[in-house]
Amino acid sequence: MVGQSPGPGSKAKSIFRLIRKQKKVSKQDLLDQCEMPVSTLTRVLEELTTQGWIRETGLGESTGGRRPILYEVNPDYGYVLGMEISRLNAKLVLCDLQTNKLAERGWPMTAEATPQYVLQRAVREIESMLAERQISLAAVLGLGIGAVGPLDRQRGIILHPRYFQAPGWENVDISRQLSEGLGIQVFLDNGANTAIRGEYWADPAREFKHLLYVHGGMGLRSAMMSDGKVVYGAVDMEGAVGQMIIQTDGRPHRESEGNYGSLESYTAIYALEQEAASKLKQGRDSLLRALAGSPEKVTFAHLVQALHKQDALTIEIFTQAATYFGIGLANLLNILHPEKVILGGPLITAHDLFFQISTRVAVQKAYYYPEYQVMFSRGRLGEDAIASGAAVMAIDSLTEE
């Protein structure tokens, strides 16, 4: 039964989705939210309970009569795996069906982290996590992968990502190879799309109709959801936000085919490192000089360290980058009009300054403000967003209509 979709059709999937989103819910609440006769809903709940996808979990508050039975996803029905493959790190998580994290593994994506190395290590680490929890592979519903694009998610191929330290990351048939190595279903999507899935399901408070996710790190990545489903373009568009032009005669992109004056050239980690090196060469005083030793050796880690020590030059550099990032966010708001924007990645998590400045600038430049009110938040999942969201994708693949 493990690995099958819940129930015989769309009715069971839609009810399962409602229970997933609300964590614990009564039959009456479900009846209020779905267009189903009570007899049909009763039958669907019985099917899902019998199959093991959901379980009864105590009684809710009385509204005048008998206390209602509450239902929740059965966490022990099966397990899912999520994997992140980024330019800096690889991460694996093992989750139950409620996406509670049970175990994790991680390693840096160094010059030795070729596709063969990563694939072999992933299999070893997965087998180790399962053995520690005494879980068999037969109980695993699937493995989701959130990777740096561009990629072909339908065929499960990482196409030609940039800036990996190790060679060989062109046209990697990663889904097939891991599926054969483990004997389970494997699903691939870009990291921004898996992150937005993870963040969506991590927030039970409200189901936003239009949700935008922007990740700031080595590059800029974005994803969008509408009515709880990821919006896909004609091609993998994860990194397209970084090519947004904010100054037509501005800085050249680090790649020759990139746009002049692109957002990424002013706000990505690489841009901050380059700006710091340039300022130090001009003779500016800064703690960065002592931390890095020379301008060419300034890293993002040095910048974060100096920022937390209130170094004036570093504050200036981050403030400038956050302002440009806010302009880019405003452009997205004026085109897409999301209800909520979730910001994630190292640029957001490093220090409050970047989030505060960028969101303030974005709101100031939103065209319909104050009539158009958008909510900004940092991701709930933090550094786990991509891997945990990839685990969510494995569940979604079985339950989406």
Side-chain angles (χ1 to χ4, degrees), residues 226-246:
S226 182
D227 289 328
K229 294 185 179 181
V230 175
V231 176
Y232 290 101
V235 296
D236 181 40
M237 56 187 186
E238 177 193 40
V241 65
Q243 291 296 324
M244 179 192 304
I245 299 169
I246 58 172

Side-chain angles (χ1 to χ4, degrees), residues 96-119:
D96 62 23
L97 201 59
Q98 290 183 356
T99 59
N100 299 307
K101 186 170 67 173
L102 305 178
E104 70 174 83
R105 297 285 193 277
W107 61 91
M109 290 291 285
T110 62
E112 289 73 41
T114 62
Q116 182 181 14
Y117 173 89
V118 171
L119 288 165

Side-chain angles (χ1 to χ4, degrees), residues 157-231:
I157 298 174
I158 297 176
L159 297 174
H160 42 82
R162 299 187 184 278
Y163 316 132
F164 277 16
Q165 295 184 55
W169 284 96
E170 292 80 26
N171 299 309
V172 180
D173 192 3
I174 193 165
S175 292
R176 179 188 62 79
Q177 292 186 56
L178 278 175
S179 181
E180 291 176 355
L182 294 165
I184 60 177
Q185 289 183 290
V186 179
F187 310 93
L188 176 69
D189 207 339
N190 69 57
N193 284 344
T194 65
I196 200 172
R197 285 181 187 268
E199 295 291 355
Y200 173 81
W201 287 104
D203 185 1
R206 178 180 170 190
E207 186 164 344
F208 289 90
K209 190 174 179 66
H210 301 295
L211 185 64
L212 176 67
Y213 175 83
V214 183
H215 180 101
M218 290 296 290
L220 303 183
R221 306 153 77 179
S222 67
M224 189 162 186
M225 294 186 87
S226 182
D227 289 328
K229 294 185 179 181
V230 175
V231 176

Side-chain angles (χ1 to χ4, degrees), residues 52 63 75 78 112 130-131 164 200 204 210 222 297 343 363 367 393 398:
T63 57
E112 289 73 41
L130 293 175
F164 277 16
Y200 173 81
H210 301 295
S222 67
K297 293 182 179 179
L343 302 179
V363 169
Y367 184 65
M393 178 173 63
L398 297 170

